[in-house]
Amino acid sequence: MPTPPVPSYRGRFAPSPTGDLHFGSLLAAFGSWLLARHANGTWLVRIEDLDPPREVAGAAERQLRALRAFGLESDEPVLRQSQRGEIYRLVLEDLLARDLAFACHCSRSDLAAVGGIHRRCVAAPERPGRMPAIRLRVADHSVVAFQDRIRGAQTQDVAHDVGDVVLRRADGYWAYQLAVVVDDAAQGISDVVRGADLLDSTPRQILLQRALGLPTPHYAHLPLVLGSDGRKLSKSDAALPVDPQRPLPALRAAWQALGQAPAALSGASTVPQLLNRAQAEFDPGRIASTPTVSLAAMHNGDFIFAD
Ligand code: GLU
């Protein structure tokens, strides 16, 4: 009998263009790239430009340029979520037609009065002049369990902890949860590797995959990096973009944040050399399974941020 084809590894890095590439995003980019290369897989970049009010003009292009400087380039054309509204609309219509999604006029303050979690509408069904949000109907006791490749067994009762998931916001913009599920499936992503800040979004993404009859990829959530002051480096720390003019120190720091031995890269003096060494020496088993790692301990005074 012919052996069935082994499904090929397809990973991705999916930044939102809300600022320049910072160290936490470089870690997600480099970590997902290393895991894809380790599996002889394909690595894609997708721009998640769904939220114009939070986006910074030119940030997507600067992020792509910075990735190029770090030697991390998409193996296929970059997908932009801003071009995919029609697909999201069709998916939403299907969910509405099957009564798996519903229109909701509850405002944040309506929900705050009932504990902040949507289980049933508390606002009037129509509010003149206001668009409803569209939510996924989450059944009571929707407990989702999955095995994260870094963090191990995870479980969440989505009904209790999250409630009915917003798929299209009341301001008309698509919710990240809908777009990420649709696009991971459309791009045939087998392995989602990203920062641990998205670990608790995963169960709701799995529920949505089930509602849409889509496969669930493997998940691996990388530790978040804490700054020297113990605070998370987040996209809003716009003061800390990595410096694409000096890619080597930032790549070395990201390598260490991924638990890898610094000595493995010693001697590499160009980006291609460093990436070749990294690819050859990478050991996924060394990635910390803790929620965070500290940047202070690893960059040894190297200047990795832009001025
Ligand atoms: N666009 C999301 C972010 O930048 C990441 C989405 C994902 O990796 O699933 O936080």
Side-chain angles (χ1 to χ4, degrees):
M1 254 183 47
T3 40
V6 178
S8 55
Y9 185 114
R10 287 171 67 83
R12 77 338 181 247
F13 170 57
S16 306
T18 49
D20 286 353
L21 198 77
H22 63 88
F23 187 73
S25 353
L26 176 65
L27 191 75
F30 194 27
S32 60
W33 183 89
L34 282 164
L35 282 157
R37 289 294 178 258
H38 189 73
N40 285 320
T42 301
W43 184 75
L44 308 179
V45 176
R46 179 170 76 224
I47 296 291
E48 300 210 320
D49 48 353
L50 281 177
D51 192 355
R54 287 186 56 234
E55 281 156 24
V56 172
E61 298 322 311
R62 287 201 301 281
Q63 288 176 334
L64 290 170
R65 221 176 305 130
L67 286 171
R68 220 171 297 132
F70 289 104
L72 306 173
E73 288 197 73
S74 185
D75 292 328
E76 293 176 10
V78 172
L79 195 76
R80 289 171 192 259
Q81 291 190 324
S82 55
Q83 322 261 296
R84 299 197 28 92
E86 186 54 21
I87 314 272
Y88 306 144
R89 197 181 62 72
L90 291 171
V91 169
L92 198 65
E93 267 177 15
D94 165 58
L95 289 169
L96 286 164
R98 292 190 289 135
D99 201 31
L100 294 176
F102 61 97
C104 165
H105 280 91
C106 299
S107 65
R108 222 174 274 251
S109 50
D110 290 330
L111 290 180
V114 293
I117 290 186
H118 193 285
R119 295 305 295 137
R120 49 201 51 81
C121 285
V122 288
E126 296 290 329
R127 289 194 176 176
R130 272 197 55 180
M131 281 229 309
I134 308 288
R135 291 178 185 269
L136 178 71
R137 208 180 284 291
V138 174
D140 287 340
H141 310 297
S142 287
V143 178
V144 173
F146 69 101
Q147 193 68 23
D148 187 90
R149 291 198 154 173
I150 295 173
R151 299 290 298 282
Q154 306 291 320
T155 164
Q156 186 185 60
D157 181 345
V158 179
H160 180 268
D161 296 353
V162 179
D164 300 314
V165 180
V166 174
L167 303 175
R168 199 191 66 202
R169 294 162 22 179
D171 58 12
Y173 294 121
W174 298 107
Y176 155 68
Q177 309 293 353
L178 175 77
V180 76
V181 163
V182 169
D183 289 343
D184 281 339
Q187 295 191 286
I189 299 301
S190 66
D191 289 75
V192 170
V193 179
R194 58 189 177 191
D197 52 336
L198 292 166
L199 185 63
D200 85 334
S201 280
T202 305
R204 68 195 92 159
Q205 293 174 15
I206 293 174
L207 267 191
L208 185 53
Q209 287 153 4
R210 290 178 185 165
L212 293 169
L214 298 173
T216 291
H218 300 293
Y219 286 96
H221 286 87
L222 301 167
L224 292 184
V225 183
L226 300 182
S228 21
D229 58 357
R231 281 181 41 236
K232 180 186 145 194
L233 298 180
S234 73
K235 279 178 270 291
S236 53
D237 280 319
L240 297 177
V242 278
D243 187 351
Q245 311 287 335
R246 284 170 290 189
L248 295 179
L251 282 169
R252 286 183 204 283
W255 176 252
Q256 286 189 59
L258 292 166
Q260 310 297 308
L265 301 186
S266 62
S269 59
T270 64
V271 169
Q273 265 178 18
L274 184 144
L275 292 182
N276 274 338
R277 295 287 281 275
Q279 216 174 304
E281 301 291 332
F282 179 59
D283 176 0
R286 294 184 62 125
I287 300 174
S289 58
T290 47
T292 60
V293 292
S294 162
L295 178 66
M298 69 197 141
H299 73 105
N300 299 329
D302 267 333
F303 196 64
I304 60 174
F305 298 118
D307 300 325

